[in-house]
Amino acid sequence: MLYAMTDTNNIEDITGDPYLLGLIIYHSEQALLPSELVVALIAAESGGDAYACSYEPLAQTAMQSARPGQCSLDTESVCQKMRWGLMRIPGATARRLGFESWLPQLSVPLVNLEWGVKYLVHLTNQFYKRHGYAGVIAAYHSGNPRKAGAQFVNQIYVDKVLKLMERYKPIVAEKREQALEVLETQVLTPEEADAAIRCDKGICEYLGYTLQDLKAMAAERGIEAAKGWKKANYAEALYSLDLDAVENAH
């Protein structure tokens, strides 16, 4: 199934964060993939927005896969039909690869990159030998590298990602050493990683509400929203108040 790609013009938005770039380089190099391929896919898929997601009602599910015990079948079905996070990995795909936690946790960059790269490795093993990275990119976008004549059916997407790879390659090479140094100094302890995941899960729960609902909740709790606030801004502000309330209770 084809879906829209993000329109990204400023590639510095992604490579300008040395910690994020370090994570991307680490995971891609561990998987023996070009770092610029992962960066280019993130640019095309989410534009570097960790909370990017989309719902595909016709997407296939993997309902036989393991899931959290408190997750209902209806919730699981919806979440499996979502694409999540930086790499917009499909929920059902993550389940097939062995992901057993709540699917909204795929919005956490640490988690998203791990499982998004696993999916990319899976596609590379299937399609690289015959189609090269162009076929891998086509499959990442639509499930398999289908062609109409000499071109992929999603050739526009493939061309965009290939061009982004060319643009990113020298930038990634130039910033690689610095990014990995920053990553090494900011590696989270297991406790810090758990706290980060809980935080992102809390924010994801708020993102399940409509923008109007979030505005109403923010007004009730005395949050002064800045002009142009989006759902992510309201979700982060509301969750920050939740954390303050827990700390004050202790």
Side-chain angles (χ1 to χ4, degrees), residues 174-227:
E174 178 186 352
K175 297 186 175 185
R176 178 184 180 278
E177 186 174 344
Q178 178 198 10
L180 290 176
E181 286 178 358
V182 170
L183 179 64
E184 186 175 352
T185 63
Q186 297 188 23
V187 172
L188 301 178
T189 65
E191 293 77 16
E192 290 171 332
D194 287 342
I197 289 173
R198 286 197 302 273
C199 174
D200 280 273
K201 182 179 176 182
I203 292 173
C204 283
E205 289 177 356
Y206 276 116
L207 288 172
Y209 291 94
T210 66
L211 179 60
Q212 289 303 117
D213 288 339
L214 290 172
K215 287 181 178 179
M217 285 188 280
E220 283 181 14
R221 301 181 68 176
I223 296 173
E224 295 184 5
K227 184 178 180 181

Side-chain angles (χ1 to χ4, degrees), residues 20-43:
L20 175 59
L21 183 58
L23 281 175
I24 294 169
I25 292 172
Y26 172 79
H27 282 288
S28 58
E29 290 186 352
Q30 286 290 306
L32 303 179
L33 293 172
S35 299
E36 62 269 20
L37 170 61
V38 178
V39 178
L41 282 169
I42 290 172

